[in-house]
Amino acid sequence: MPLKLAIVGRPNVGKSTLFNRLAGKKLAIVDDQPGVTRDRRFAAGRLGDLDLELIDTAGFEDVKDESLESRMRAQTELAIDEADVTLFVYDAREGLTAGDEIFANLLRRRNSPVIVAANKAEGKAGEAGIAEGVRLGLGEPIGISGEHGEGMSELYAALLPFEVQDDEPIDKDKPIMIAVVGRPNAGKSTLVNALIGEDRLLTGPEAGITRDAISVDWEFGDRKLRLVDTAGMRRKARIDEKLEKLSVQDSIRAITFAEVVLLVMDATHPFEIQDLQLADLVEREGRGLVFVLTKWDLVENPQSRLKEFIEHAERMLPQVRGTPVIALSAETGRGLDRLMPALLKVHMNWSTKVKTRDLNDWLQMAMQRHPPPSVGGRRVKPKYMAQIKARPPTFVLFSTRADQMPEHYRRYLVNSLRESFDLPGVPLRITIKSGANPYAEGEAKSGPKPVSRYAKQAPKPKKAEKSTSVDANGKIVKIGGKPVTAKKPIVRARSAPKGLTSAKSGRSKGARPGPRKG
C-alpha cells in the first residue's frame, strides 16, 4: 500500500515543483506567480523503492472568511487529515515568515506526523534558511531542491519509517500453522490426540514412534488450526541412522513453515540442553513460542516446581523472555484448557502492529530511564523509530553512530519494548540505521573527485617513423619524402704558426714582453 503524502506550505515555495519531481512527470502547473494551485491534486509517485500517493495542495493563507483563499485553506486541511505524513515546505532562500509559523502551529495541533523540508536550498544561499527551520518545533528540517532534485536521499530516509506495509490481515478461514516439537518420548502425539479429542496419532511408551511430520486440521471455537506433529529430535551427536536424520530435517522444516511452535518437554526433566537449543532455533526462525510441560501429574510440589521452571527459563533463554509456560497432563486433561488461550495470545502478539507515535513516545521514555551510553567520548543518540513489518514484529531505529551502539543497549531496548507493549513469547527484531554522512571517514563524498595537479597525464602519442629511400649505391637520397641535400663543408681558419708576429700586438705570439724602457 503506498504512503499517502500531503505537500503543504505557503504560496510559491515550490510545492508543485516538488510534486512533479516525486511524480516523475510534469502534472501540476508551475509558475513564478503565487497561487497557481487551488484544488487538491492526487498522483502516484515513487522515491527510491518507496511507493507514494502524492497530494498537491494550494498555498496556505491565514483567512477564515467566505473568500476563495479560505475555501482553498479548507481543502489543504482536508489533505492533512487524510494523509499518512505531511510534508511542510518553506522557502530556504526567503527564510521563515509569519505565515510559516502560523501554519506550523496549525500542524502541531494535528495528529498527522510532519516532516519539514526547506526547498530551494541549493548552493550557499539556502544554508541560513535551513537553520531557521528548527524554530518551528517540528523537527530538524531537510534541505532539498525540487527543481534540481537535491536532498532526495535525505527525504527518503525521513519517509521510510512511515512506510505502510502490506501486512496480510488475519483471515479466520486460513488455518493457523502450529508445529509441535520436542525431544523423543516427550508426549507430543499424546498432546495432539488430547487436543482434537480422538486417537488420530499412534502413541506408546516407546521412543521415536513418529517419523514423519503429520498435519492434523482442527477447529477451536471459530478459529481453524493445523497441528503438525513432528518426530522427536535428539542431540546431533547421537543421531546415527539415516532415517532419523531425515526425520529431524522434516521437523526443522515444520518449524520453518509454522506460525507458532509448541515446545513440548517432559516435566520430570525439562529445559535440558536440547530443549534450550530448540527454543533458540525457534527464536532465530522468528516464530511464536509456547513452552508446554507434559506429564505434570507425575510432579510433586507442582506450584514451587513451576516457579522454579519459569525462573530457569528466564535465566537460560533471555532472548525469549516472557514466553508462557503451560503445565498440563495430556493423559488426565489437567491444565489442558489453559493451552489454547495462551497459544492464540502468542499468535496475536506475533501479528501485532504498533503505531509509530506510540513507539516514539516509548523510545523517549526508555532513553530517559536508561540514557544511551557514550562510545569513544561521544554519545549515541537514537532519533526515531517505526515498525516496518509484523510476523514477527520488526522495527527500525534511526540513530547517530548506529554501528557503534553497544549490544547490551540493544538488548535493553528489546526487553523494554516487549514489556511495555506486552509482547511475550514472540521474537522482536530491531534494525539500527543512521543517515549516511558524506564527510564521515570511510564514506564516499558526493560530487566529482578533485583533480590533482600531480595526476598522471596521458602519454603523448609517438611520432610516426619517417620512411627513407636509398639509391643503387646505398646512399640515402630521401627521408620522409623529402630529398637529402649535401651539406657544405665548414671551413675553419687555421691558427698562425708559433713565432709569427701578430698584426694587432706587433709582437710574436708566445714571446714575453721585455722590461719597459724609461
Side-chain angles (χ1 to χ4, degrees):
M1 182 183 297
L3 178 68
K4 189 173 288 188
L5 178 67
I7 305 174
V8 301
R10 288 188 302 105
N12 207 27
V13 295
K15 300 184 297 298
S16 296
T17 304
L18 179 60
F19 176 84
N20 291 338
R21 167 71 61 179
L22 296 177
K25 58 184 75 173
K26 293 184 178 180
L27 299 176
I29 299 175
V30 177
D31 192 79
D32 292 337
Q33 179 182 351
V36 174
T37 305
R38 292 181 176 178
D39 291 302
R40 286 178 293 163
R41 188 184 186 98
F42 293 80
R46 191 171 180 84
L47 185 60
D49 58 352
L50 191 62
D51 292 325
L52 302 172
E53 183 179 349
L54 304 170
I55 309 176
D56 189 19
T57 62
F60 177 80
E61 299 284 356
D62 187 24
V63 288
K64 294 183 179 180
D65 50 16
E66 298 297 328
S67 62
L68 177 62
E69 288 78 10
S70 178
R71 297 195 297 273
M72 291 162 55
R73 168 178 172 159
Q75 289 288 318
T76 301
E77 292 180 355
L78 287 175
I80 296 172
D81 292 335
E82 64 179 306
D84 297 322
V85 183
T86 301
L87 182 61
F88 177 42
V89 182
Y90 71 95
D91 192 335
R93 293 178 179 266
E94 186 178 350
L96 290 181
T97 64
D100 292 322
E101 296 180 357
I102 293 173
F103 199 4
N105 292 332
L106 174 67
L107 292 174
R108 201 177 292 111
R109 294 193 295 267
R110 303 276 175 162
N111 292 326
S112 176
V114 180
I115 297 174
V116 182
N119 196 23
K120 307 178 185 179
E122 63 274 14
K124 294 184 178 181
E127 292 180 357
I130 297 175
E132 286 184 18
V134 182
R135 291 192 352 235
L136 297 174
L138 296 172
E140 185 175 352
I142 302 169
I144 64 171
S145 173
E147 181 70 27
H148 302 286
E150 296 182 8
M152 293 298 111
S153 59
E154 288 80 4
L155 180 59
Y156 169 81
L159 289 173
L160 187 60
F162 305 102
E163 181 182 9
V164 180
Q165 296 291 327
D166 292 331
D167 293 329
E168 298 179 4
I170 297 177
D171 187 4
K172 293 188 177 181
D173 294 333
K174 183 180 178 181
I176 301 175
M177 300 294 293
I178 303 170
V180 185
V181 302
R183 290 183 289 116
N185 207 22
K188 301 181 294 297
S189 300
T190 306
L191 174 62
V192 174
N193 288 340
L195 287 174
I196 65 177
E198 61 177 283
D199 292 335
R200 172 68 175 79
L201 303 172
L202 185 63
T203 60
E206 299 86 0
I209 294 178
T210 304
R211 287 183 174 176
D212 295 309
I214 307 299
S215 61
V216 179
D217 291 334
W218 178 52
E219 289 189 11
F220 179 77
D222 59 344
R223 298 304 303 272
K224 293 182 178 180
L225 302 98
R226 179 167 295 168
L227 300 169
V228 182
D229 184 27
T230 63
M233 289 185 281
R234 297 193 297 169
R235 294 175 61 183
K236 188 175 181 180
R238 298 183 180 180
I239 300 176
D240 297 326
E241 297 181 3
K242 180 181 179 181
L243 188 60
E244 188 176 0
K245 291 182 181 179
L246 296 175
S247 298
V248 170
Q249 291 176 3
D250 207 17
S251 301
I252 295 175
R253 192 178 303 112
I255 295 175
T256 304
F257 288 98
E259 296 175 344
V260 181
V261 176
L262 298 179
L263 180 54
V264 181
M265 296 171 284
D266 191 335
T268 57
H269 45 277
F271 295 106
E272 294 190 350
I273 295 178
Q274 182 66 3
D275 297 324
L276 301 178
Q277 290 178 346
L278 287 175
D280 183 66
L281 173 63
V282 172
E283 192 274 337
R284 284 187 280 111
E285 289 292 337
R287 307 300 173 224
L289 180 62
V290 177
F291 294 130
V292 180
L293 302 177
T294 60
K295 308 177 184 179
W296 194 245
D297 53 329
L298 304 179
V299 176
E300 298 180 357
N301 301 323
Q303 296 298 328
S304 60
R305 293 289 290 171
L306 180 60
K307 185 178 179 181
E308 292 176 5
F309 291 152
I310 293 176
E311 292 177 353
H312 183 71
E314 298 271 335
R315 185 173 63 255
M316 299 302 294
L317 295 167
Q319 66 270 35
V320 290
R321 183 170 297 169
T323 300
V325 180
I326 307 300
L328 55 84
S329 173
E331 288 286 345
T332 63
R334 177 186 173 187
L336 200 62
D337 56 336
R338 297 195 299 269
L339 177 59
M340 291 312 300
L343 185 148
L344 294 177
K345 175 67 166 57
V346 168
H347 183 265
M348 184 179 66
N349 294 341
W350 188 67
S351 308
T352 194
K353 181 76 174 177
V354 184
K355 294 181 180 179
T356 303
R357 182 176 297 274
D358 296 339
L359 274 175
N360 286 279
D361 291 342
W362 162 81
L363 180 62
Q364 297 302 321
M365 180 198 67
M367 289 193 300
Q368 290 176 5
R369 187 188 304 168
H370 186 180
S374 297
V375 180
R378 298 175 61 189
R379 188 172 295 279
V380 178
K381 297 179 182 178
K383 293 183 178 179
Y384 49 89
M385 189 175 186
Q387 184 174 356
I388 57 176
K389 68 180 289 291
R391 302 186 177 189
T394 305
F395 306 88
V396 59
L397 173 64
F398 287 88
S399 170
T400 61
R401 311 179 69 207
D403 57 334
Q404 299 183 14
M405 179 173 286
E407 185 62 28
H408 69 84
Y409 196 75
R410 184 199 296 262
R411 289 196 301 268
Y412 160 72
L413 292 177
V414 170
N415 294 331
S416 178
L417 184 66
R418 177 178 285 114
E419 179 183 355
S420 300
F421 292 98
D422 191 22
L423 298 174
V426 296
L428 302 180
R429 306 280 191 258
I430 295 182
T431 303
I432 303 176
K433 295 183 178 181
S434 63
N437 181 3
Y439 296 98
E441 184 177 356
E443 297 189 15
K445 297 182 179 180
S446 60
K449 293 182 179 180
V451 179
S452 173
R453 57 183 292 189
Y454 302 105
K456 293 183 178 179
Q457 298 180 355
K460 295 181 179 179
K462 294 182 179 180
K463 294 182 179 179
E465 295 182 0
K466 297 181 180 180
S467 59
T468 57
S469 301
V470 185
D471 61 0
N473 298 325
K475 231 175 172 184
I476 299 175
V477 293
K478 286 185 179 180
I479 297 178
K482 295 181 179 180
V484 179
T485 56
K487 294 183 179 180
K488 294 181 180 180
I490 300 174
V491 180
R492 297 180 179 178
R494 294 182 181 180
S495 56
K498 293 181 179 181
L500 295 180
T501 305
S502 173
K504 292 183 180 181
S505 60
R507 63 177 182 270
S508 63
K509 287 187 177 181
R512 284 188 171 185
R516 185 177 295 178
K517 293 181 180 182

